[in-house]
Amino acid sequence: MASPADEVVLSLNDGNSVTVHLHGATVTSWRHKGTERLFVSKQAVFDNKKAIRGGIPVVFPNFGPWDLGPQHGFARTSRWTVESKDDKPSNGAIKAVLILEDNEATRKMWNHKFKVTYTLTLKDTEFVMDFAVENKGDQAFSFTALLHTYLRVEDVTKTTVSNLKGLKYVDKVKGGDMFTEDRELVSLAENYDRVYQNTPDEHVVMDGESGRTVIVKKTNFPDTVVWNPWADKAKGMSDFGDDEYPNMICVEAGHVSSAVTLTPGDTFHGNQVLNIVQ
């Protein structure tokens, strides 16, 4: 389990809360009226070294395998700093701001000066994540980024994701080949790892078993990754229980099919909102 010194907790009345771990700025809990809406593996490692398996890890400055450093970049395994945190709610919301800036370790992998500002705002039925990357150096750089959201569900085979029909996607299970989605509502029945491109700014994720629904809204994140490792792959993951895959689905907002290029002094802004329907 995580140490309280490593966590920031945002709380509203009625059992609404968000917990974020400073290792990776990984959101490890989002509760609405006491019900946990994110999935974190019971075998997740909290050693401030390994990426935390579940919640909402931050992927930056690279999505996927990376020649310069660890898969999915260094943000999810770096120690973030709390820039500010509300002591109490104001106008029905409570907020924390976390930052990650370049340091000696990051520059050895990726020699650029940057500042990532991650603003987390909890409201009654909404959880807002504002993600900003500023180029603090004197040369342009390019990056990809993604919020790797693990949603908790009762039965992944009875869970659907909307607004993907007609879109092109890269199927990473099938060697990275490109296909076109033909289903009105996407459901999963096997190892699933698809990068949907040019996606709309809203997806409805409905858990048919529990009846719970979350709307994923996003701005300036043109890609949506849908992922579940399924049984065989789960068995090969030391930090993921063999029987846990039915209880999660990743629906991830990102800018990964093409890189963002920032000139000196410029800032990229992306946003994700998780909205409770029921």
Side-chain angles (χ1 to χ4, degrees):
M1 293 296 293
S3 164
D6 292 329
E7 295 181 326
V8 172
V9 179
L10 301 175
S11 296
L12 296 175
N13 296 327
D14 302 323
N16 294 355
S17 66
V18 160
T19 302
V20 57
H21 199 291
L22 295 180
H23 179 65
T26 305
V27 176
T28 54
S29 175
W30 171 41
R31 291 183 177 273
H32 179 254
K33 295 183 178 179
T35 299
E36 181 60 64
R37 306 307 290 259
L38 298 179
F39 169 87
V40 175
S41 174
K42 294 176 182 177
Q43 295 180 204
V45 178
F46 293 91
D47 63 357
N48 289 316
K49 296 177 182 178
K50 186 177 179 65
I52 297 169
R53 176 65 68 187
I56 310 178
V58 176
V59 173
F60 172 87
N62 186 79
F63 172 73
W66 193 27
D67 292 340
L68 302 179
Q71 173 162 305
H72 290 334
F74 49 68
R76 66 182 187 148
T77 54
S78 295
R79 183 78 174 190
W80 290 57
T81 301
V82 180
E83 186 172 72
S84 65
K85 176 184 177 296
D86 291 345
D87 293 326
K88 58 184 179 180
S90 175
N91 297 318
I94 188 166
K95 180 174 68 177
V97 181
L98 280 64
I99 60 171
L100 177 66
E101 296 182 278
D102 61 279
N103 54 47
E104 185 176 353
T106 69
R107 289 191 295 271
K108 283 182 179 178
M109 290 180 273
W110 195 63
N111 191 22
H112 297 290
K113 295 182 178 181
F114 66 88
K115 179 179 181 181
V116 181
T117 303
Y118 193 33
T119 304
L120 307 175
T121 306
L122 177 64
K123 303 178 182 180
D124 179 30
T125 59
E126 285 189 347
F127 176 31
V128 183
M129 290 142 277
D130 291 304
F131 182 81
V133 181
E134 181 183 359
N135 185 343
K136 303 279 284 185
D138 56 8
Q139 58 181 336
F141 62 69
S142 298
F143 67 89
T144 49
L146 171 138
L147 300 179
H148 200 305
T149 305
Y150 290 71
L151 295 172
R152 176 175 290 278
V153 297
E154 291 295 322
D155 185 347
V156 69
T157 66
K158 298 179 181 179
T159 299
T160 58
V161 184
S162 75
N163 287 346
L164 296 172
K165 185 177 181 180
L167 300 179
K168 293 187 181 301
Y169 65 87
V170 174
D171 193 332
K172 296 170 75 175
V173 174
K174 297 181 178 178
D177 289 344
M178 185 81 76
F179 299 90
T180 300
E181 183 58 69
D182 60 2
R183 293 171 295 172
E184 196 72 45
L185 294 174
V186 166
S187 59
L188 282 59
E190 60 187 346
N191 178 17
Y192 203 97
D193 192 356
R194 299 182 180 180
V195 182
Y196 290 89
Q197 301 179 348
N198 298 313
T199 55
D201 288 340
E202 182 174 306
H203 302 290
V204 178
V205 183
M206 186 178 71
D207 179 356
E209 181 70 17
S210 69
R212 298 190 188 106
T213 300
V214 173
I215 299 177
V216 180
K217 301 177 183 178
K218 58 191 180 68
T219 303
N220 216 18
F221 283 133
D223 302 300
T224 302
V225 177
V226 180
W227 179 73
N228 183 294
W230 225 253
D232 288 346
K233 191 172 180 182
K235 292 177 182 177
M237 299 162 64
S238 63
D239 59 350
F240 192 100
D242 292 354
D243 59 351
E244 290 185 312
Y245 74 91
N247 301 126
M248 54 76 63
I249 184 170
C250 285
V251 180
E252 313 161 25
H255 204 306
V256 298
S257 294
S258 62
V260 177
T261 298
L262 282 184
T263 56
D266 280 354
T267 301
F268 165 85
H269 292 278
N271 167 277
Q272 173 177 264
V273 180
L274 301 180
N275 185 268
I276 296 284
V277 176
Q278 57 184 5

